Amino acid sequence: MCGIIGIASNKKDKSLTDVLVSSLSRLEYRGYDSVGVASLDDEGIDVRKAKGKVVEVVKTKKINEMSGYIFLGHTRWATHGAPNDQNAHPHVDCSGRIAVVHNGTLNNYKELREELESLGHKFRSDTDTEVIPHLVEEFMKRDMESFEAFKAAVSSLRGSYAILMIMEGEKRIFFARLDNPLVIGLGEDKNFIASEYAPFLPLTNTVVTIQDGEIGFITPSSVYIEKDGKIVDVNERVHKLNFTLASASKGGYSHFMLKEIHDSPLAVKETLSTMMADDSVDKAVKVMSQANRIFVVAAGTSYHAGLIFGRELNMSGFTVIPMIASEYPSYRTRAGDVILALSQSGETLDVKMAIKEFKNEGSTIISITNVIESTISRESDVKLYMRAGPELGVAATKTFVSQVASLLLLKSKILGEKLDYLSHAHEVLEASLEGTEGQMKKWSSTLISAPSMYYLSKGVGLPMALEGALKIKEVAYVHAEAYPAGESKHGPIALVSEGFPVVFLDPGIDELKVNIEEMKSRGARIFYVGTSKGISKDEVEVRLEKGLEPFALAPPIQLLAYYVSVGKGLDPDRPRNLAKTVTVE
């Protein structure tokens, strides 16, 4: 996830740079690896960009001194190419007459780049985005008009994108959207286009929505949109916002945690599509397929994701040992073992210490992180990356399901399974979000006053139960414990009395009904998530698909924790005593 902003004005106004800088600051949460700006006036395009935070780059690159009547801005979350100056956006063509900013991932950029290089194009970065201006340049060499060349370039892309492009001699900003957000703001003598409403909300609340598959351009006084060659009536899209600036930066949601839960389907779709095109995945699969043992090293939520991976491979005869990273001194590895290190930030200290020790013992290190060129990825023999985008809420939500998606992809490739089922993962998430959110709001009112509760499940549901208990502890401060449902009668059931809340997560295992009856007979209040009917007055149905059960169960456990937290008047984005990245022992 990156942040993009475009401004088209009738006047070459110095105040536009102030608007641009404030817009970039509001977009920084979407990407904080690097920042870049392109301005256009009668003399041409000026591009200034660098690695760093907005305030740093604005100062070092003297962005406040730029002038023009058309501007592009970008805050980057690295997905292709390390976070450095050359990979920062905007990217230009060979001549420097075309500049592009992009949010998303292009799955066929390697083939496109090779083809363009064979035609003489020179690339300056390691990014997927840079193919776009070169494609437009190439099509214009074939006597295409600029908008037609832009459309031809976009039609060549496979993946996801929100693209803005400017060109010398053109007083307009070209755009295209697929799976990544873009919105237009209508102002006086100027128009805006951005990843979200927040950048331009202080100047206008009159907006035009852009839908998937649409392409067009804005000028300082007009908007043109088409889809599949048919012109869209822009007037039907114009509406007024009633967002505050604070809520607009969260996409209209009250908290980043809720926004990020709802971002999960896109995060999973992006992660899977990108990893399927990544050669490093096949390298990792080959190494793990030949391993004596696979140790999954992780902490917290990442450990729960690792349990799912370990269960699936252990059932197929592999030796997989999920371990909590801080317990690494209790384990010994050797040559022929593989360490799969999981860390969303790529900076978790316990994981770093563990892989350092195991590498010294001769093991091969594979990592999955959400941050390119993080410490853990740099220290790995094979580095894999999720594409969940930055996560502002402390509690992992979209990064958790993206991690699970990554691990299921690896598991299926190791076992030689068909990957078709994974194409439904984001759909299962969407269905679960839509079907469970209302019920989780209702359940939360009961659980606000609960001093303690259980999460119980079996099989692949057990790691989800552990994650559910962790989430409600993290953000709602409710004491919660998770157990295998069959283990609950070996001690934990002693705490159950009338009204004691027990959440059952059913991944489609009939034997859970016996455990549910055991808890009912002791007076427990049952909260059931699954496919059976008549289990409890507090039950919600989810869409279960074989192999995708975690994606059906993740939304309700995350939403329940969120709504209990909000119901207690807490801030789920900033829970007490917790940090987003744990960098101490």
Side-chain angles (χ1 to χ4, degrees):
M1 184 170 72
C2 301
I4 59 178
I5 175 70
I7 305 171
S9 174
N10 276 319
K11 302 175 183 177
K12 186 177 177 180
D13 189 342
K14 177 65 172 61
S15 66
L16 291 177
T17 54
D18 297 331
V19 173
L20 182 73
V21 170
S22 63
S23 297
L24 290 171
S25 297
R26 295 187 190 99
L27 288 168
E28 189 164 26
Y29 84 93
R30 295 181 64 93
Y32 34 81
D33 292 331
S34 58
V35 181
V37 171
S39 64
L40 172 65
D41 59 18
D42 295 326
E43 297 177 4
I45 292 176
D46 179 14
V47 174
R48 305 185 190 186
K49 59 183 184 176
K51 177 183 176 180
K53 307 292 186 184
V54 170
V55 65
E56 299 165 352
V57 178
V58 167
K59 182 178 180 180
T60 58
K61 294 297 179 179
K62 300 181 179 179
I63 287 174
N64 278 321
E65 298 178 10
M66 297 176 73
S67 64
Y69 41 75
I70 305 286
F71 284 88
L72 296 183
H74 189 274
T75 60
R76 182 176 187 239
W77 176 263
T79 57
H80 288 92
N84 56 34
D85 291 359
Q86 68 182 17
N87 289 333
H89 295 214
H91 292 287
V92 298
D93 67 323
C94 294
S95 68
R97 296 182 63 249
I98 300 169
V100 169
V101 294
H102 164 227
N103 174 30
T105 52
L106 304 180
N107 298 332
N108 63 332
Y109 81 98
K110 289 182 181 177
E111 305 96 289
L112 292 172
R113 178 167 177 153
E114 288 172 1
E115 181 181 354
L116 288 163
E117 286 177 330
S118 72
L119 294 170
H121 290 263
K122 304 297 182 185
F123 284 75
R124 304 175 179 89
S125 77
D126 302 316
T127 68
D128 54 348
T129 301
E130 196 182 352
V131 300
I132 301 172
H134 289 284
L135 279 170
V136 176
E137 179 185 27
E138 183 61 32
F139 284 122
M140 290 188 71
K141 288 179 181 178
R142 302 173 190 180
D143 295 325
M144 284 189 183
E145 181 269 335
S146 55
F147 185 46
E148 293 303 314
F150 179 66
K151 289 196 289 184
V154 171
S155 69
S156 303
L157 306 176
R158 294 200 311 270
S160 64
Y161 48 78
I163 301 167
L164 302 184
M165 184 187 84
I166 59 175
M167 183 181 300
E168 280 189 15
E170 300 271 356
K171 204 169 185 178
R172 52 182 173 173
I173 300 174
F174 302 91
F175 65 81
R177 170 189 172 166
L178 184 65
D179 288 338
N180 282 276
L182 271 181
V183 291
I184 294 170
L186 304 178
E188 293 186 11
D189 298 322
K190 63 178 73 71
N191 285 327
F192 309 88
I193 184 166
S195 303
E196 58 188 54
Y197 304 119
F200 55 72
L201 194 56
L203 299 170
T204 180
N205 67 342
T206 304
V207 303
V208 176
T209 57
I210 304 171
Q211 298 176 2
D212 267 354
E214 293 183 339
I215 193 166
F217 55 84
I218 66 169
T219 73
S221 57
S222 66
V223 175
Y224 175 85
I225 303 175
E226 66 176 60
K227 184 173 184 177
D228 300 326
K230 296 179 180 179
I231 298 174
V232 173
D233 186 348
V234 173
N235 293 324
E236 293 182 354
R237 298 276 185 87
V238 178
H239 64 280
K240 300 279 188 180
L241 295 176
N242 58 3
F243 289 167
T244 65
L245 182 58
S247 66
S249 66
K250 301 181 179 75
Y253 294 99
S254 300
H255 298 90
F256 280 111
M257 181 178 178
L258 186 59
K259 178 183 184 296
E260 287 157 359
I261 292 171
H262 281 270
D263 284 345
S264 293
L266 178 57
V268 164
K269 188 176 181 180
E270 287 271 300
T271 292
L272 286 171
S273 64
T274 306
M275 290 190 76
M276 285 179 181
D278 186 351
D279 295 338
S280 295
V281 170
D282 289 332
K283 184 177 179 181
V285 167
K286 182 178 180 180
V287 171
M288 285 190 285
S289 298
Q290 298 171 350
N292 293 329
R293 299 176 296 177
I294 302 171
F295 288 82
V296 182
V297 180
T301 288
S302 297
Y303 173 69
H304 300 153
L307 289 174
I308 296 172
F309 176 78
R311 174 186 180 274
E312 295 297 311
L313 284 184
N314 283 327
M315 288 175 63
S316 298
F318 284 78
T319 302
V320 182
I321 305 169
M323 55 172 285
I324 294 172
S326 59
E327 290 296 306
Y328 76 90
S330 299
Y331 295 82
R332 286 293 175 269
T333 66
R334 53 184 176 266
D337 289 338
V338 171
I339 309 301
L340 180 58
L342 306 179
S343 170
Q344 290 141 4
S345 68
E347 301 295 342
T348 308
L349 182 61
D350 293 331
V351 178
K352 288 194 287 188
M353 293 174 67
I355 65 174
K356 182 178 180 180
E357 180 66 25
F358 295 149
K359 196 167 188 175
N360 289 337
E361 293 174 352
S363 296
T364 301
I365 311 297
I366 299 172
S367 64
I368 301 178
T369 70
N370 194 41
V371 181
I372 286 184
E373 292 303 303
S374 61
T375 301
I376 288 172
S377 64
R378 290 198 304 271
E379 294 179 359
S380 302
D381 299 297
V382 184
K383 56 191 78 172
L384 305 177
Y385 297 111
M386 299 184 290
R387 296 298 193 274
E391 190 171 60
L392 274 291
V394 166
T397 52
K398 66 175 180 174
T399 53
F400 171 64
V401 290
S402 296
Q403 207 166 48
V404 171
S406 305
L407 292 167
L408 290 179
L409 173 62
L410 290 176
K411 179 269 300 186
S412 291
K413 278 184 164 282
I414 290 169
L415 298 180
E417 297 174 341
K418 291 183 178 180
L419 303 178
D420 297 355
Y421 78 104
L422 289 171
S423 66
H424 301 289
H426 70 284
E427 297 170 359
V428 173
L429 273 168
E430 288 169 350
S432 185
L433 279 165
E434 183 177 348
T436 66
E437 185 160 15
Q439 198 68 48
M440 295 308 107
K441 287 182 182 179
K442 292 179 183 178
W443 292 4
S444 69
S445 62
T446 300
L447 294 170
I448 285 171
S449 57
S452 188
M453 60 189 293
Y454 286 151
Y455 284 73
L456 303 181
S457 190
K458 289 177 179 286
V460 73
L462 178 57
M464 302 306 295
L466 290 163
E467 180 63 11
L470 176 62
K471 279 289 162 286
I472 207 161
K473 283 184 280 195
E474 281 182 314
V475 301
Y477 315 150
V478 176
H479 175 252
E481 299 297 336
Y483 292 96
E487 180 69 9
S488 62
K489 57 182 174 286
H490 294 279
I493 202 169
L495 294 181
V496 176
S497 58
E498 193 66 33
F500 188 95
V502 180
V503 177
F504 275 91
L505 302 178
D506 185 359
I509 299 175
D510 288 339
E511 291 83 356
L512 266 180
K513 293 176 182 177
V514 174
N515 304 116
I516 292 171
E517 290 304 317
E518 289 170 347
M519 287 292 167
K520 274 186 177 180
S521 68
R522 271 72 174 183
R525 180 166 180 174
I526 306 300
F527 297 84
Y528 173 84
V529 180
T531 56
S532 297
K533 299 280 190 176
I535 294 290
S536 166
K537 66 177 181 179
D538 297 305
E539 62 183 30
V540 63
E541 186 173 359
V542 290
R543 166 184 162 185
L544 292 179
E545 288 193 22
K546 185 172 176 56
L548 300 177
E549 294 87 354
F551 302 110
L553 300 177
I557 62 175
Q558 294 172 353
L559 289 166
L560 183 60
Y562 171 79
Y563 282 112
V564 174
S565 175
V566 171
K568 295 173 77 168
L570 305 173
D571 181 358
D573 288 342
R574 296 290 179 268
R576 69 189 181 204
N577 303 331
L578 298 179
K580 186 65 183 170
T581 304
V582 180
T583 57
V584 295
E585 292 185 70

